[in-house]
């Protein structure tokens, strides 16, 4: 039986615009913040997992070491779409569970300020003559000619499909989800945007891909997040104060999408999320009713709705009623995205999967300030990257 | 009449225009692109089958921001054609939520994409309301 793994230190930079910091600067800020929080140094760390997508071929982890400490330890540079940060953390956790290290550092960072729409894959230049290329023998780019590959459009369809299947989800309902997350963000000083929007403002804003208007889409921004994880036996050698603030990783799961009819026509974000959630609840020995807060991947307002169901926060098909009951507001029974979520906190892709963990850990430590969920003991963090990859982590407060 | 080429190789323009799919002979899974092996069952024998030209809209969005050269707004969706899901634009209908609804009946139609320097015309496809 592999031993438990704990978060000893964790840090998230301010999300937003950082014109004076490059990718490595942001990563260094996150990593040194996490090490400081843990009370450890790079020389204590046995494995580094580093996530960055925009410069995925640049050995970001080694560049980071040159700024914070080159100690010769193995570096795993990971890239897994929007689940990159969670994947980095998962790698560090696996190394500890395998007994290869007793301290691991996971870092995720992205510079996305000013980036446009996150589009899909098959774009190609149009030449002077129509000539078939690629696996579809396409003579022109397919995005926009055969449906859409843009992220707002893909996730819009995923929400619309759920809404049609179970009823009750219209434009206004999706806008209300966004209204909640923006309202939550006003209490989070690290969020990119801390602005409350009225329902009318959200619905009348620029339509990007119906039913997602601009405030219903995740915000491109710069940011970094990092976590120091340790084995339980290592934790027991540390100070009582370190042990008191440590957060138990009760479940760490990463899935990809199993084959389903149509999954290569419209990405199926449901099946792999359900699988990850089921495995995580099993590993942790807790159920959805035990969760005091959830950070889930609201890359678009339409995505948040389906994940209520996928994470089993509500009965199958019951996401609309669940939301309408007020359950997911910060004073509800299962607060969701009290950080403001990706729609207002922001979505610096590779940082997101660790930033969500930071949010949960901060509440479990009782250190979330004005937005503290009182008495929080168990929380779940979920991310999904199209392609697809899904990370689910369940965290628990240290026993008093 | 000048030469025509389909936008993708799974669009057949001869006779009544229709789509084809690579169907796994072992499990029946269907794919629009060429395959090394079946993602569902790992078998590696496929046959080409015709996809029904009529179907029902399963999901849609109305895209207002798209790649250069794509007229907006346009309706993108997934059409259930007799059990085979097809990604396509919904065409010949106003691009607003009053005129497009999940569950509406649709049929395949072709969409001219223009001619290249040699005068060859590319032809795409979309789905339009069926009656
Ligand atoms: Zn098969």
């Amino acid at each position: 039986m592999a031993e438990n793994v704990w978060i000893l230190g964790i840090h998230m930079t301010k999300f937003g615009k950082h014109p004076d910091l490059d990718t490595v600067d942001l990563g260094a800020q996150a990593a040194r913040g996490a090490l400081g929080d843990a009370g450890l140094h790079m020389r204590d760390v046995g494995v580094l997992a580093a996530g960055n997508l925009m410069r995925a071929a640049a050995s970001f982890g080694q560049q980071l070491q040159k700024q914070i400490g080159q100690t010769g330890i193995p570096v795993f540079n990971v890239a897994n779409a929007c689940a990159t940060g969670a994947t980095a953390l998962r790698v560090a956790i696996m190394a500890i569970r395998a007994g290869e290290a007793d301290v691991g550092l996971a870092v995720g960072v992205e510079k996305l300020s000013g980036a446009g729409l996150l589009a899909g894959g098959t774009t190609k230049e149009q030449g002077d003559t129509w000539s078939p290329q690629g696996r579809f023998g396409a003579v022109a780019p397919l995005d926009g000619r055969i449906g859409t590959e843009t992220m707002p459009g893909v996730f819009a369809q995923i929400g619309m499909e759920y809404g049609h299947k179970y009823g009750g989800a219209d434009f206004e309902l999706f806008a209300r989800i966004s209204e909640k997350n923006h309202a939550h963000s006003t209490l989070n000083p690290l969020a990119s945007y801390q602005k409350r929007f009225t329902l009318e403002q959200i619905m009348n804003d620029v339509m990007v891909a119906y039913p997602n208007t601009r405030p219903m889409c995740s915000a491109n921004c710069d940011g970094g997040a990092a976590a120091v994880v340790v084995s339980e036996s290592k934790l027991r050698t540390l100070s009582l104060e370190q042990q008191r603030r440590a957060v138990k990783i009760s479940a760490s799961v990463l899935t990809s999408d199993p084959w389903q009819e149509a999954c290569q026509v419209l990405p199926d974000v449901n099946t792999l999320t359900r699988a990850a959630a089921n495995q995580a609840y099993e590993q942790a020995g807790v159920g959805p009713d035990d969760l005091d807060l959830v950070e889930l991947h609201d890359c678009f307002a339409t995505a948040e709705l389906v994940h209520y169901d996928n994470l089993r926060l509500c009965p199958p098909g019951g996401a609309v009623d669940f939301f309408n009951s007020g359950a997911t507001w910060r004073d509800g029974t299962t607060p969701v995205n009290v950080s403001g979520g990706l729609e207002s906190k922001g979505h610096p892709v590779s940082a997101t999967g660790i930033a969500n963990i930071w949010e949960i850990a901060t509440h479990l430590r009782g250190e979330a300030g004005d937005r503290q969920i009182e008495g929080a003991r168990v929380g779940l963090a979920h991310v999904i990257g199209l392609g697809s990859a899904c990370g689910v982590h369940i965290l628990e407060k240290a026993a008093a | 009449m000048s030469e025509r080429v389909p936008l993708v190789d799974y669009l057949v323009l001869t006779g009544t225009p229709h789509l084809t799919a690579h169907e796994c002979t072992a499990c029946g899974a269907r794919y629009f692109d060429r395959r090394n092996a079946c993602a569902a069952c790992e078998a590696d024998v496929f046959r080409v089958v015709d996809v029904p030209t009529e179907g029902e809209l399963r999901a849609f969005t109305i895209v207002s921001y798209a790649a250069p050269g794509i007229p907006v707004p346009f309706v993108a969706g997934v059409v259930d054609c007799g059990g085979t899901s097809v990604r396509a634009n919904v065409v010949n209908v106003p691009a607003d939520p009053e005129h497009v609804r999940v569950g509406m009946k649709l049929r395949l139609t072709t969409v001219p994409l223009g001619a290249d320097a040699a005068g060859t015309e590319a032809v795409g496809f979309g789905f339009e309301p069926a009656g």
Side-chain angles (χ1 to χ4, degrees):
Chain A
M1 180 74 185
E3 65 177 321
N4 289 323
V5 180
W6 294 72
I7 293 171
L8 185 66
I10 188 158
H11 187 78
M12 162 185 168
T13 70
K14 168 87 171 95
F15 279 10
K17 292 187 174 70
H18 289 286
D20 301 330
L21 300 178
D22 65 20
T23 299
V24 178
D25 290 327
L26 272 173
Q29 196 180 104
R32 288 169 64 82
L35 287 164
D37 187 46
L40 297 182
H41 296 91
M42 275 306 286
R43 60 181 172 271
D44 302 311
V45 174
V47 59
L48 171 63
N52 177 253
L53 274 192
M54 301 309 281
R55 304 172 63 195
S59 297
F60 162 65
Q62 284 86 342
Q63 290 187 34
L64 179 65
Q65 285 181 303
K66 290 174 177 62
Q67 302 303 324
I68 66 172
Q70 288 176 258
T71 56
I73 58 170
V75 175
F76 295 86
N77 289 295
V78 304
N80 221 356
C82 301
T84 295
T87 303
L89 182 65
R90 178 100 187 88
V91 167
I93 291 168
M94 284 196 298
I96 293 171
R97 281 199 182 151
E100 297 250 349
D102 57 9
V103 179
L105 173 63
V107 185
V109 61
E110 214 74 66
K111 290 268 295 179
L112 278 181
S113 278
L117 287 178
L118 296 176
T122 61
T123 46
K124 75 177 189 66
E125 291 303 311
Q126 197 167 314
D128 290 340
T129 57
W130 303 115
S131 59
Q133 286 178 26
R135 283 187 171 256
F136 292 104
V139 301
L142 301 184
D143 182 21
R145 293 185 174 88
I146 298 183
T148 184
E149 295 170 9
T150 63
M151 294 295 117
V154 167
F155 280 94
Q157 291 174 81
I158 287 165
M160 295 291 280
E161 182 182 40
Y162 187 92
H164 179 69
K165 195 168 170 188
Y166 299 111
D170 55 12
F171 177 28
E172 184 181 318
L173 180 108
F174 291 120
R176 283 189 189 283
I177 291 175
S178 183
E179 180 190 21
K180 167 183 73 75
N181 290 349
H182 286 291
H184 285 168
S185 77
T186 60
L187 297 174
N188 185 357
L190 296 186
S192 280
Y193 301 99
Q194 297 147 51
K195 183 185 170 196
R196 185 154 191 161
F197 288 82
T198 65
L199 185 63
E200 290 68 33
Q201 284 173 322
I202 292 169
M203 294 180 75
N204 291 325
D205 207 310
V206 174
M207 182 60 76
V208 176
Y210 180 90
N212 287 321
T213 65
R214 190 170 50 188
M216 296 162 72
C217 300
S218 51
N220 288 330
C221 66
D222 306 332
V228 174
V229 288
V230 297
S231 64
E232 182 152 319
S233 50
K234 173 72 179 182
L235 179 66
R236 297 305 164 212
T237 69
L238 300 173
S239 73
L240 288 179
E241 175 63 5
Q242 283 166 306
Q243 296 189 41
R244 185 189 65 77
R245 291 183 70 249
V247 171
K248 186 181 170 193
I249 299 168
S250 299
S252 172
V253 177
L254 187 68
T255 56
S256 62
D257 45 338
W259 186 86
Q260 298 279 306
E261 198 284 320
C263 72
Q264 293 167 16
V265 172
L266 178 67
D268 172 12
V269 301
N270 303 320
T271 307
L272 82 166
T273 300
R274 294 191 82 87
N278 288 341
Q279 288 177 44
Y281 291 131
E282 171 84 24
Q283 259 183 38
V286 304
D289 291 344
D290 299 316
L291 302 175
D292 296 309
L293 75 162
V294 172
E295 288 286 304
L296 64 74
H297 202 73
D298 64 321
C299 47
F300 300 93
T302 46
E304 177 158 327
L305 183 78
V306 303
H307 293 315
Y308 293 156
D309 197 324
N310 293 329
L311 296 173
R312 289 169 38 202
L313 306 182
C314 62
V320 171
D321 289 345
F322 179 66
F323 175 73
N324 283 334
S325 76
T328 60
W329 282 77
R330 53 172 291 113
D331 58 356
T333 51
T334 311
V336 173
N337 291 334
V338 297
S339 67
L342 279 53
E343 292 164 66
S344 34
K345 181 176 70 177
H347 184 23
V349 178
S350 295
T352 296
I354 298 176
N356 287 353
I357 306 262
W358 176 85
E359 181 70 21
I360 301 287
T362 302
H363 286 270
L364 299 183
R365 286 167 157 185
E367 298 174 359
D370 290 342
R371 69 181 187 291
Q372 176 70 39
I373 297 297
E374 286 308 322
R377 303 196 58 81
V378 187
L380 181 150
H382 157 261
V383 287
I384 188 160
L386 279 192
S388 296
C390 176
V392 170
H393 287 84
I394 293 176
L395 308 180
E396 287 184 76
K397 184 184 176 72
Chain B
M1 186 178 158
S2 63
E3 199 190 338
R4 297 191 307 164
V5 293
L7 172 59
V8 284
D9 59 16
Y10 62 91
L11 170 63
V12 177
L13 297 173
T14 51
T16 305
H18 64 281
L19 304 179
T20 60
H22 301 276
E23 184 180 81
C24 172
T25 59
C27 79
R30 290 183 170 188
Y31 306 93
F32 289 104
D33 54 349
R34 66 180 168 82
R35 289 283 150 170
N36 302 90
C38 178
C41 78
E42 302 182 35
D44 57 6
V45 180
F46 298 87
R47 64 171 163 249
V48 175
V49 294
D50 292 348
V51 175
T53 56
E54 300 205 341
E56 206 177 277
L57 188 60
R58 216 186 80 195
F60 77 92
T61 181
I62 302 166
V63 179
S64 305
Y65 287 86
I70 303 296
V72 290
F74 72 92
V75 181
V78 175
V79 185
D80 179 349
C81 292
T84 301
S85 295
V86 180
R87 183 196 298 169
N89 291 357
V90 182
V91 299
N92 301 333
V93 65
D96 65 60
E98 283 71 50
H99 291 87
V100 184
R101 54 190 170 70
V102 179
M104 71 193 293
K105 306 284 184 210
L106 300 169
R107 67 171 165 245
L108 187 87
T109 185
T110 54
V111 177
L113 297 174
D116 66 11
T120 302
E121 194 191 350
V123 179
F125 68 91
F127 281 79
E128 63 182 5

